[in-house]
Amino acid sequence: MRGWRVDNGESLYHMMPLNGKVTLENVAPLFGGRLTSALEVQAAAAKTEVETVRLEPTTPAYGVVNLRASWEYHNLRLDLGVENVANVLYYNPLGGIDIADWKAGANANLHTPVAAMGRNIYGGATIKF
């Protein structure tokens, strides 16, 4: 995906490169309830066409794997998941610039993209009433 200005040919700001998400889901009975499990692969192409006036950073291509499971029984639901299973260091193409170490007058090439979240393990419980 690419966008550009018709007056000067410069790249548009904040354009997401080619990306996608594929999920394989399975549902099975378990202990009188229903277990739903999912394997998700999320990927994005490298972002190389950037708007230089706004110091938009380039980002490399990436791919991450996420796992999720939920178990439902009557009015109870338990959720468990792991995002970025392999703890891959990647940069969301629309994640912005890391300015934590920025100093006035610094070289614009020193601006780096914000790193995306590493491995994340979560759980939850829901009761309907």
Side-chain angles (χ1 to χ4, degrees), residues 20 40-46 60-66 84-91 93:
E40 179 180 87
V41 177
Q42 179 181 350
Y62 71 87
V64 294
V65 175
N66 305 317
N84 193 357
V85 173
N87 201 23
V88 174
L89 173 61
Y90 71 100
Y91 302 92

Side-chain angles (χ1 to χ4, degrees), residues 29-126:
L30 181 67
F31 302 123
R34 183 176 71 172
L35 176 68
T36 303
S37 55
L39 169 70
E40 179 180 87
V41 177
Q42 179 181 350
K47 182 174 177 127
T48 56
E49 303 294 334
V50 295
E51 212 276 312
T52 54
V53 173
R54 295 186 183 174
L55 304 176
E56 187 175 23
T58 59
T59 57
Y62 71 87
V64 294
V65 175
N66 305 317
L67 297 173
R68 283 191 288 279
S70 65
W71 179 69
E72 292 182 66
Y73 180 77
H74 297 294
N75 62 341
L76 173 66
R77 177 182 166 126
L78 302 175
D79 293 292
L80 181 65
V82 180
E83 295 177 346
N84 193 357
V85 173
N87 201 23
V88 174
L89 173 61
Y90 71 100
Y91 302 92
N92 185 331
L94 302 182
I97 297 174
D98 184 0
I99 60 169
D101 294 326
W102 187 80
K103 294 174 181 61
N107 182 347
N109 295 329
L110 297 177
H111 293 282
T112 58
V114 175
M117 187 167 45
R119 183 181 302 124
N120 178 36
I121 301 170
Y122 64 90
T126 305

Side-chain angles (χ1 to χ4, degrees), residues 13-38:
Y13 178 65
H14 222 62
M15 297 291 293
M16 184 70 177
L18 180 66
N19 65 90
K21 188 185 297 186
V22 176
T23 304
L24 179 62
E25 188 174 275
N26 182 54
V27 178
L30 181 67
F31 302 123
R34 183 176 71 172
L35 176 68
T36 303
S37 55

